Amino acid sequence: MPSCYAQVDCNSFYASCERVFNPRLAGAPIVVLSNNDGCIVSRSAEAKALGVPMGAPYFLHKARLEQLGVAVFSSNYTLYGDLSGRAMRLLAGFARAQEVYSIDECFLDIAGEPEPERLAQAMRDAMLRGLGLPVCVGIGPSKTLAKLANHLAKQDPSSEGVMNLQALDAEERRGVLAAVPVEEVWGVGRKLSLKLRLERIGHAAALAAADRDWLIRRFGVTVARIADELDGLSCLSLEEALPPRQSLMSTRSFGHKVTRLEEAREAVAMHAAQVAERLRRQGSLAGFLQVSLQRGVYQQGTVQRDSEVVPLLPASADSRVLVAAAGRAVERLWRPGAGYQKCGVMAWQLVDAERAQPDLFAEGADPEKGRRLMAALDAINQRMGRGMVKLLAEGLEQPWKMKQDMLSPAYTTRWEDIPVAKAK
């Protein structure tokens, strides 16, 4: 059976999520900002048409955005993550296999589908009707061609959000690839594209036609596989089950410069608790914890980062253990009089919780009771909303949290934020 892949990508995902529960934003320009309301990281199609630049510092464009009537939002990761999960579950029902590639895109194996374009339109309709999220779908005999087809669908309004490169013969496909700059090919970064252009490979068709032995000698086997994929030969299979991560990190900038040890201790405790939650979700235990505090001024290019690695014996995913270890590290790292801008916690040397070697000489609380306690905590937070139950060490007011002055409600994960419909 010939291979056939569909690549589904949500359009301006963060901005689209903000529009789902706010009908007044239909057709309005929207931008979403990065952490601490720093830079523009997502733009609706209307904002792009107004010339709003991607990645630009918000404070430089604030006045112009207000003048143009652009709706501005802080990043609402809770909302985006929940809608992403719903979207991926919905799309999984359209295919025999799925690979979730990022928060807003996935690959689907639709080999054997007699009418792939009709299926793609059905996906678009289901996403728009069920979740209010617009998507584009690219179809191709390889993952690289499917992703390229999606890119072309976004650029061509006449495609109605679907581009099918599977339906083209070899000659037609070469004509399409000849119009695609090589740097727009999935897997070809800026540095690689410069090297390819020096070899007179400036577009996707030239890369697909290049001699494979020469590509391997000059650039390596990965580039040769990209060329094969562009030529319609599927070399990349779907990764249905992502391998467990080898490290987990939680880090954020402070909303203001932190000069009090108590605030730094609370912030690090929150990050340690979040890392512990992710460890439990993945089914892993951490052997080491790295705690970092960052001070300095970015504008002057003088950033200083102090960090300490703490061994966890035995390996653990218990929030209480990680928070206590991180708290001791903060006290050793703290420099009175210094103004800190950011902190973070990273867990590494992770082991499978089911196969971890217990410590026969470990003292302290019963580990089984700890596991039951953490399971109960996770169950409550999953049902009632993240952070509903937390350790006191994380703080109550948390004045150091990153700035989110334009944060939208957590419409789908917090009871008090659920929209209420009223009939007159």
Side-chain angles (χ1 to χ4, degrees):
M1 182 187 301
S3 61
C4 184
Y5 297 97
Q7 201 261 344
V8 188
D9 188 7
C10 299
N11 301 340
S12 306
F13 181 62
Y14 287 2
S16 295
C17 288
E18 297 293 348
R19 186 176 278 157
V20 169
F21 294 97
N22 194 339
R24 289 174 296 180
L25 295 176
I30 304 170
V31 300
V32 178
L33 307 178
S34 63
N35 293 344
N36 269 326
D37 295 341
C39 299
I40 298 169
V41 295
S42 181
R43 305 162 296 163
S44 66
E46 296 81 4
K48 294 175 184 177
L50 292 173
V52 177
M54 181 68 167
Y58 171 58
F59 76 93
L60 291 178
H61 296 268
K62 181 178 179 180
R64 180 169 176 261
L65 293 176
E66 291 176 351
Q67 182 181 7
L68 293 173
V70 177
V72 181
F73 293 93
S74 304
S75 290
N76 189 338
Y77 299 117
T78 302
L79 175 65
Y80 309 153
D82 185 68
L83 287 180
S84 172
R86 295 172 187 235
M88 297 307 156
R89 288 192 294 272
L90 189 156
L91 290 169
F94 286 92
R96 49 195 286 171
Q98 178 190 46
E99 175 189 339
V100 178
Y101 183 68
S102 69
I103 191 173
D104 63 344
E105 60 182 310
C106 70
F107 289 96
L108 300 171
D109 183 352
I110 57 172
E113 173 60 40
E115 298 182 278
E117 290 182 38
R118 179 175 292 185
L119 179 68
Q121 288 295 348
M123 293 179 200
R124 297 186 73 242
D125 292 343
M127 287 287 288
L128 198 57
R129 290 175 181 272
L131 296 174
L133 297 173
V135 302
C136 284
V137 183
I139 303 168
S142 68
K143 290 171 66 176
T144 301
L145 282 176
K147 190 162 179 71
L148 181 58
N150 194 307
H151 174 71
L152 297 174
K154 290 180 182 293
Q155 293 183 326
D156 182 7
S158 67
S159 69
E160 298 183 346
V162 175
M163 179 66 69
N164 184 8
L165 295 182
Q166 181 91 16
L168 304 182
D169 59 31
E171 189 65 30
E172 291 173 325
R173 194 181 300 153
R174 279 193 291 270
V176 172
L177 296 181
V180 178
V182 70
E183 54 267 19
E184 293 184 7
V185 175
W186 184 41
V188 177
R190 185 180 63 85
K191 291 183 178 180
L192 177 57
S193 68
L194 293 176
K195 294 178 181 178
L196 289 170
R197 285 186 174 278
L198 288 175
E199 301 290 349
R200 298 184 179 180
I201 299 177
H203 50 74
L207 180 55
D211 180 76
R212 300 301 188 263
D213 291 335
W214 176 81
L215 282 176
I216 293 173
R217 291 194 304 270
R218 183 69 179 84
F219 300 103
V221 68
T222 300
V223 177
R225 285 176 180 167
I226 294 175
D228 282 340
E229 287 258 321
L230 288 172
D231 207 27
L233 178 63
S234 178
C235 301
L236 305 173
S237 59
L238 291 188
E239 296 182 13
E240 297 179 55
L242 296 178
R245 296 191 179 187
Q246 299 304 305
S247 65
L248 291 169
M249 175 185 291
S250 178
T251 179
R252 286 285 186 274
S253 298
F254 296 124
H256 60 80
K257 189 173 290 187
V258 168
T259 57
R260 296 175 57 238
L261 174 59
E262 292 77 11
E263 289 191 354
R265 192 187 291 118
E266 285 183 1
V268 168
M270 183 198 72
H271 289 302
Q274 289 186 358
V275 167
E277 178 191 349
R278 294 173 189 172
L279 284 167
R280 295 192 294 272
R281 193 185 311 152
Q282 180 174 288
S284 300
L285 304 178
F288 289 89
L289 205 64
Q290 181 171 331
V291 180
S292 62
L293 291 175
Q294 184 171 296
R295 50 197 166 101
V297 181
Y298 283 101
Q299 291 85 344
Q300 298 176 2
T302 56
V303 177
Q304 293 178 295
R305 183 181 292 105
D306 302 316
S307 65
E308 178 173 320
V309 175
V310 183
L312 300 176
L313 299 172
S316 178
D318 190 312
S319 295
R320 299 168 300 170
V321 173
L322 270 67
V323 166
R328 293 191 293 270
V330 169
E331 293 178 358
R332 292 189 289 268
L333 291 171
W334 182 259
R335 301 290 182 268
Y340 291 93
Q341 296 177 319
K342 188 176 183 180
C343 72
V345 173
M346 181 175 71
W348 49 284
Q349 194 164 316
L350 308 187
V351 296
D352 188 332
E354 297 296 327
R355 302 177 182 178
Q357 181 70 36
D359 188 343
L360 298 177
F361 304 101
E363 298 179 356
D366 180 1
E368 182 57 34
K369 286 185 177 180
R371 282 191 288 271
R372 292 200 299 268
L373 175 62
M374 292 299 106
L377 184 147
D378 292 339
I380 293 172
N381 286 334
Q382 184 176 6
R383 182 176 180 182
M384 305 301 294
R386 189 175 190 177
M388 181 61 65
V389 179
K390 58 187 177 184
L391 301 184
L392 185 59
E394 299 177 56
L396 299 176
E397 299 298 328
Q398 299 182 332
W400 38 265
K401 291 191 74 172
M402 68 177 181
K403 184 167 61 175
Q404 293 177 298
D405 294 338
M406 293 151 287
L407 183 67
S408 57
Y411 296 107
T412 61
T413 56
R414 188 182 297 130
W415 286 107
E416 55 267 32
D417 288 350
I418 294 177
V420 178
K422 298 181 180 179
K424 293 185 179 180

